[in-house]
Amino acid sequence: MDFYTMPFFWAVISMLGFHGATLVVSGHRVGRRLAFTGLMLVLITVGRILLVTPLCPQPRFDLVEWNWILGGIFLLAALLIALPTIKVKWWRAPAAGMKLKTTGVYAVVRHPMYLSEILWPIGWSLLCGSYFGLALTPIWWLCLQFHVLIEEERLAGELGGEYIEYMQRVRSRIVPGFR
């Protein structure tokens, strides 16, 4: 079996992307380079998509047409949640003078793009019938939780009381109902 057909390889690639993305939101000098940010987004995305595809042999489930229906619902939900976040420039480190968005989906969770980042791999996993993709989703969620801790520290430093008040008002970081 070639390394690029092993699900573990693609899981490691996406984890490297998550780790690098934390450098981006922390404001570290390496993370301030646009090319580095783009590479991290590619690693996260490509790793999680290829992991679930038929390229990687793994146990699969078949829910007949439900794979497509459920997968499509999760992908559509991810897209609808992600669209309002595009204007926020979530891929950059928090900076002085940025405007805090608190309405719409931001009134439900503080990091809706990361909620989208949890929903879309579930959608792809359902479409492809990937047990591994579904099993790794909680690990990706945990990685995002650590990522958010760094990002929120930086946001509180840049925005001060405004962000701290927002954190008290909107308790859920990524998933509604979870802190």
Side-chain angles (χ1 to χ4, degrees), residues 8-149:
F8 180 75
F9 171 77
W10 294 110
V12 168
I13 292 296
S14 64
M15 296 305 277
L16 287 172
F18 276 122
H19 186 65
T22 301
L23 285 173
V24 173
V25 299
S26 74
H28 189 278
R29 63 184 165 81
V30 172
R32 283 180 264 177
R33 299 179 193 276
L34 188 57
F36 180 82
T37 301
L39 177 61
M40 293 307 105
L41 292 174
V42 167
L43 291 178
I44 292 169
T45 305
V46 169
R48 291 187 301 161
I49 290 176
L50 291 179
L51 170 92
V52 301
T53 64
L55 168 74
C56 295
Q58 60 186 282
R60 304 243 175 224
F61 59 86
D62 186 8
L63 304 174
V64 193
E65 66 273 352
W66 285 103
N67 282 62
W68 289 93
I69 294 168
L70 293 173
I73 289 170
F74 274 89
L75 289 171
L76 181 61
L79 177 66
L80 292 175
I81 290 168
L83 282 177
T85 70
I86 300 300
K87 294 179 186 174
V88 178
K89 297 184 182 173
W90 53 267
W91 60 88
R92 292 191 179 159
M98 67 181 290
K99 175 121 173 79
L100 181 62
K101 184 145 173 68
T102 61
T103 58
V105 71
Y106 286 94
V108 179
V109 294
R110 295 194 301 260
H111 302 278
M113 181 49 122
Y114 302 149
L115 173 57
S116 177
E117 286 287 332
I118 295 301
L119 294 175
W120 80 261
I122 293 172
W124 283 111
S125 297
L126 289 168
L127 282 173
C128 295
S130 171
Y131 284 114
F132 290 172
L134 289 177
L136 286 169
T137 298
I139 294 170
W140 291 322
W141 174 69
L142 183 63
C143 288
L144 284 169
Q145 289 284 62
F146 290 131
H147 179 84
V148 163
L149 292 175

